[in-house]
Amino acid sequence: MFTATSLIPVLLASVAGVRAGVQELWWDITYVNNANPDGLFERRVIGVNGTWPPPPIDVQETDSLIIHAKNLLDTPTSLHHHGMFFNSTSWMDGAVGVAQCGIPPGDTFDYVVPINSSGQTGTYWVHAHSSGQYVDGLRAPVVIHPTNETYKFDDEYTVVLGDWYHQQHDTLMQEFVSIANPGGAEPIPNAPLMYFAHGSSYLPPISGKSPSPVTAATGFNENATIPFQPGKTYKIRVVNTGAFAMFYFWIDGHDMSIVEVDGTDVQAQPVDMLSLAVAQRYSVLVTARNDTSANWAIHANMDTIMFDKVPAGLNPNATSIITYSPSVSTTNLGPITTYTDIKDTTLIPYQIVPQLPPSTKTIELEVVFDTMADGTNRAMFNMQTYNSPLVPAVFSALSMGENATVAGAYGPLSFVVDHLDVVDIVLKNSDAGKHPFHLHGHKMQIIHRAEDYTSSNTSLNPPLSEGQVNPLRRDTVQVGSMGSVTMRIVADNPGVWFFHCHIEWHLEVGLAIQLVEAPLEVQARVASGSVTPPQFMYDQCKALGKPTSGNAAGHNSTTDLSGLTEGPFPQNNGWHAKGIGAMFGCVLTAVIGMVTVTWYSFGGDLTEEEMEREALTKQEAKERKGRFFGLVKAS
């Protein structure tokens, strides 16, 4: 346990010897064959510079980061630096269809992340934002060190968590969006992964282990360890880089205190375990024990309640080791009976930022999943599923002139807000599962939660309280079934920003909106020369055959969206013309049958020859028509 004095903020210089300035990285995005991090199955993954996992990024708050991302895949790709603000340059955000067209095969995109002007520090991550490619491995942690640390510690490590699939994303997606899966059961991971970074490198496997050769440089799960020295205090950063599974994380025999949430330092709060939805991050302070008589287990367990079923043979729990001495045994306190979710509204930011003034614009979104008219299961906000526009929304904002303020020009589920509007996003989750939601380009104040937004019971659905002293600020928020959350931002970052569920399967079936923020201000800043979209963005769209001007469909119109994909739409249940006709036919047949029975009961009769001729006539009529009660005749 760290001492009370160590909780007092101190001015602690960041890692010595690291030069501030422009930090440039050259990433060739490549396929890597025969990766086997879980030791269960070799598969092709997407890595960087021919290796996997992609390297951790470790920079200072005074740095500007540039990643030269060259696409050596056979399909377009992109990189999204999760949680970064980008300061009026949303075309650097990496969300394909919103911020860019994608990097064509063989081409390079120079991502400029202006950390030094964003005021951001803490724990983040980078991942593909194109066609689910981060499910196949294109993901890595990002740490931004402050000039002055809020809390004192002796060393730090980053714990990378993620769910792992043995099949390629595209194969899983075809199975997920299928009439054979009308209930929308998500692909279930084959294993959890846990591995560790220290600075800009991953920790190697435990000495004496023989992991799979392609991933042998990094320790995973039972082959991974963090070295502790007695009495020292460590900052442990934990990030969930998964596609689906929430994780519960704890360390046997050690106390933890939360000190950071999604890049926001908070007042230290003791906690027994962390709950991390996809894309969430926490940092904890952990003080090492004063003896070296035992090593201790680190646990990261997937939340299987989210799974449609738990397959036989799946071990949802990853276990690694805190090592004090390689010559002693490991103490594993075994399974626990109860998981606990963190109530993030109880966490208090260290830097006081009062609640923003009451909103000038409110966006209400209700989460719905349903089987659509085409037989597939889709996700919807307000009964509408999201489809990517033909023209990435940032290009529409730049090219539409005064019409850029018309929300309809960007396609369904697009919302336009004015510069410096105070915006409330009220998220209501009618689904049976819990969902993590992420807003690009902003940290959100979490100003209200309800356990049941449909309830009139104020203990389950309390009123929103204005004037809060210092609400939590984070970029990824989880909402439970039937729960709601109100997130408040000020629209001070002109551009187009994605808001979506960070369960990758749900994003890809439409659980997203576009927040178009101050489009006229974007145009003015470009016209003044204060920001400039790079020409290579337009060139790359052209190479991919994608338009870069006009509305979502590429037309110079606020209403003509012809050519834009919409839907599928929910089944239109109820009585329709074909159903009414079928019912009429059934009733008519029944009446004729009853009349026939009555006819015979009163002595009426037909010869066998007459009955055969009548039956043949009816059958020929059916065949000529080619339909029987609305079912098409097989050819």
Side-chain angles (χ1 to χ4, degrees), residues 358-379:
S359 64
T360 57
K361 181 160 291 188
T362 299
I363 300 171
E364 292 199 12
L365 303 170
E366 187 171 40
V367 176
V368 178
F369 283 74
D370 204 354
T371 304
M372 311 302 265
D374 66 355
T376 64
N377 191 279
R378 301 282 177 156

Side-chain angles (χ1 to χ4, degrees), residues 146-352:
T147 303
N148 302 306
E149 288 283 0
T150 302
Y151 296 98
K152 183 178 180 180
F153 53 87
D154 297 296
D155 205 349
E156 63 178 284
Y157 296 95
T158 300
V159 178
V160 184
L161 306 178
D163 45 25
W164 191 245
Y165 292 87
H166 291 166
Q167 288 183 291
Q168 297 285 323
H169 162 270
D170 290 350
T171 300
L172 294 169
M173 197 64 198
Q174 290 173 6
E175 295 173 355
F176 178 46
V177 183
S178 167
I179 60 173
N181 184 31
E186 298 89 350
I188 298 169
N190 296 102
L193 289 183
M194 175 164 49
Y195 50 108
F196 309 125
H198 187 235
S200 57
S201 302
Y202 292 112
L203 295 186
I206 295 172
S207 179
K209 300 285 186 176
S210 299
S212 178
V214 173
T215 48
T218 302
F220 296 94
N221 297 354
E222 69 276 5
N223 292 327
T225 184
I226 296 177
F228 268 19
Q229 295 183 32
K232 289 192 173 183
T233 296
Y234 296 89
K235 186 172 190 176
I236 306 297
R237 306 173 185 269
V238 190
V239 53
N240 183 352
T241 67
F244 181 28
M246 177 174 169
F247 275 86
Y248 293 97
F249 174 89
W250 71 98
I251 305 173
D252 284 345
H254 294 74
D255 296 319
M256 303 187 298
S257 283
I258 298 173
V259 293
E260 182 219 343
V261 180
D262 291 1
T264 299
D265 283 348
V266 297
Q267 295 180 17
Q269 180 165 310
V271 65
D272 293 325
M273 71 171 57
L274 299 176
S275 58
L276 296 102
V278 169
Q280 290 186 328
R281 294 92 63 208
Y282 287 94
S283 287
V284 294
L285 292 184
V286 180
T287 295
R289 300 169 70 92
N290 286 319
D291 66 85
T292 60
S293 61
N295 300 322
W296 294 86
I298 310 171
H299 300 273
N301 294 4
M302 293 192 295
D303 180 12
T304 58
I305 290 177
M306 302 175 69
F307 300 170
D308 184 61
K309 62 180 179 179
V310 180
L314 170 65
N315 179 5
N317 306 329
T319 305
S320 299
I321 302 171
I322 294 288
T323 298
Y324 287 91
S325 171
S327 62
V328 300
S329 62
T330 298
T331 300
N332 187 332
L333 300 181
I336 60 174
T337 57
T338 304
Y339 291 133
T340 303
D341 285 8
I342 293 173
K343 294 183 178 179
D344 59 3
T345 52
T346 66
L347 300 173
I348 303 171
Y350 186 81
Q351 180 184 2
I352 297 175

